[in-house]
Amino acid sequence: MSAAVRAWIVASGDELVQGRGLDTNSAWLARELGELGVETRRMLVIGDDEAGLRALAEQAGRELELLVVTGGLGPTLDDVTRAALAAAAGVELVEDAGALATLREWLAARGRPFSESNRRQAFLPRGAELLPNAVGTAPGFLLRCAGALVAALPGPPREMQRMFTDELRPRLERALPPRPARELARFYLFGLPESNFADRCGDWMARDADPLLGVTAHSGVLSAQLASADAARLAARADEFRERFGEWIFSEKSGDQARVLADLLLERGITVATAESCTGGLLAQRLTQFPGISAVFGWGFVSYANAAKQDLLGVDPALLEEHGAVSLPVAEAMARGAAQRSGARLSIAITGIAGPEGGTPEKPVGLVCFATCLDGVLQSTERRFVVRGRDLIREFAAQTALDLARRRLLD
Amino acid sequence: MSAAVRAWIVASGDELVQGRGLDTNSAWLARELGELGVETRRMLVIGDDEAGLRALAEQAGRELELLVVTGGLGPTLDDVTRAALAAAAGVELVEDAGALATLREWLAARGRPFSESNRRQAFLPRGAELLPNAVGTAPGFLLRCAGALVAALPGPPREMQRMFTDELRPRLERALPPRPARELARFYLFGLPESNFADRCGDWMARDADPLLGVTAHSGVLSAQLASADAARLAARADEFRERFGEWIFSEKSGDQARVLADLLLERGITVATAESCTGGLLAQRLTQFPGISAVFGWGFVSYANAAKQDLLGVDPALLEEHGAVSLPVAEAMARGAAQRSGARLSIAITGIAGPEGGTPEKPVGLVCFATCLDGVLQSTERRFVVRGRDLIREFAAQTALDLARRRLLD
């Protein structure tokens, strides 16, 4: 699919190219730019390399329509973006009096001292348009290098996102050609391995298929995207997709199973409590990300020790003795106890072996038992995760618990 | 600092260049390659773009010593790495009988059907050396393109990391020139804003300083790295650094405050319990990441609702009435209750306003109260976080709690 506007996204910083920090800005920008009809062709990470960034900007000016650079606008000597882009545009850096005044006020209002290092942040390439920073010290800017618009945004994600949304996006919408129509449909699935999905897709995933179908897998969740310039074609394929994959599709809006469950609970006013052993609070933490969740969530139990299962959740020691902590009877007792203790209509319990130690031939690492209690009625099930590693097992356990709870509510 | 071996790292996949998935492989590889004396000059993300990947590999063959590609080795039609690298090396793809047999066995052993899609994964560029995949279906491979060694690894992080560690790293150690000596010292700090750190560094952070000093900030933790080819020079600067920043340095080994606290607790055999409101399980989840933590952690309370604070932790309703849930007296009562209920020697309590709603002029969003109880003695403090956003406030709250707990133990 060709787009009128091609972009590169560059993340600048030694810590990034050495792997000490992770670039999340480029992925966020690629999604946002996609909404504007911009096709990101490349993402690049370079170090605090003024000459390298200058060369990339010059190349972008020759080959593309848009270059977005994040990072390198900080107050320290290794922040090279201002100088590199000014050189690429063939202009010098000049101190912007307005930027300097804003910077002083911003720091003063927060009771933070104005350090001379901050002064560097008020220099901009001559002729660049300043992009104000509402939540940090570094202003961004916009300028032309040959055939490309070049935007410089701060590195800290919150500052970058705010500046993009408030300042850069509106300017791009005005400056870019109208976007070619491109319809999208997204589906989020859980419980189906990627290679089985691929088999069931047949030729829907061919490189030249229309609609084009792409899929990615993360923590057991498959995110599928159908895209076409033809809305009717897309709608027809989307219907076929729903029919073929309905058993596993949990949302067409969000790949976050915690979000989907939270929305369902809030919509229906169903209170929920969590009782976790091996996941150690991961499930509760996921649910409490969402503002307003206190309307349905008030009690989370992390009964990591058997004594805690007994004391907090009323699990009968005889059950622990006979079946062990990782068993369906104990999962059910945890769910029942959490529901009774909290008064919640729905409770979700997880008990398993996250490893790497603790496994036996009968109960290997990766065995996790789940129980839900809804209006007093218990259901339980187990999984034997073949993914490797404590982190992944905990993650898959939390995802599975969210999936089971949602299915329970939709039954 | 020049290194004998220059590398690019490429992550391949439409979902990555469109921002639907996040590339964490490149950062991990850059760190690992750094240990081998390899300098990563660029990281690039491209789509399922066979021609583009071929061109990058050809360019790498002309300009560098090493190219590592992750992704695009899956079973679907959009996995283009095998074909792209074979074309760059000027060879055809051939089916490897050993790889095919291994693949069939691997899937059969896990009770998964062999799909015809999987067969694609047994094709390799003629002459390439196969890198076995111990934890997934796609073998990787190693081949030469002109002057560069080119390695292809799978996209899923766990598979990629295992293959790098077991298969690629030993081969690189044999194939690459001996690494130039480069001494490193790392320091991890909490509680000092980055710009204040920069001011206190003076010219230590100049681009041409020796030792070279770099710093990155994440969730309030500053990760500082000193590097020099001269060990004595490095040791002297490291001593100066400790003297200047000792008040904020919490580790020279790990930037994970949960790891550092867990190690301290395990080493000293001090049991811990957590009582969380606004962080919703985040603190407990962080501590339980570590195998063996059950020796010191058994009880985590997520008392999100006031009723839960009263019932689970014995917080006096009169305190809640008089001071409100977000107050030092309530934080202290939560910590005391958690310690008494669990029998843990140390308890950590967090209660705050994560927002975006819930703030008032006296108690704004970002206000978080903390308490620790150690052998029956309570201490409490509050912070007013100026970072914006529910996620960041929760993150900073968890980091602060870990920091306070560690300082409590080290007093």
Side-chain angles (χ1 to χ4, degrees), chain B residues 237-256:
Chain B
R237 179 61 53 83
D239 281 341
E240 292 179 279
F241 191 96
R242 285 180 196 100
E243 203 170 308
R244 195 175 292 194
F245 293 107
E247 188 184 330
W248 300 280
I249 295 171
F250 64 84
S251 176
E252 294 188 26
K253 292 202 180 68
S254 168
D256 182 347

Side-chain angles (χ1 to χ4, degrees), chain B residues 8 53 56-58 60-61 64-69 81 84-86 88-89 125 128-129 131 140-153 168 172:
Chain B
W8 283 0
L53 180 55
L56 274 177
E58 288 167 343
L64 311 164
E65 289 72 51
L66 177 63
L67 174 70
V68 183
V69 180
T81 296
L85 297 184
E129 181 177 0
L131 302 176
F141 56 85
L142 195 57
L143 76 168
R144 278 216 156 264
C145 281
L149 254 180
V150 178
L153 303 176
L168 183 56
L172 288 179

Side-chain angles (χ1 to χ4, degrees), chain A residues 1-43:
Chain A
M1 171 167 312
S2 74
V5 179
R6 299 157 301 172
W8 282 359
I9 301 172
V10 175
S12 158
D14 271 357
E15 76 284 5
L16 296 178
V17 84
Q18 292 171 17
R20 289 182 285 119
L22 185 65
D23 169 32
T24 59
N25 288 336
S26 300
W28 188 90
L29 282 165
R31 288 195 301 278
E32 291 289 315
L33 291 174
E35 305 279 314
L36 296 174
V38 174
E39 186 192 355
T40 301
R41 303 303 309 281
R42 290 277 164 89
M43 295 169 177

Side-chain angles (χ1 to χ4, degrees), chain A residues 79-138:
Chain A
D79 292 299
V80 303
T81 297
R82 288 173 289 263
L85 297 185
V91 300
E92 69 274 26
L93 284 175
V94 292
E95 189 174 273
D96 183 300
L100 186 56
T102 302
L103 195 50
R104 286 190 187 278
E105 283 166 28
W106 198 92
L107 288 164
R110 282 157 186 75
R112 283 165 57 181
F114 180 86
S115 64
E116 281 311 302
S117 301
N118 289 118
R119 184 182 281 273
R120 288 186 195 104
Q121 299 181 294
F123 277 77
L124 300 181
R126 182 183 295 281
E129 182 177 1
L130 183 148
L131 303 177
N133 185 336
V135 291
T137 54

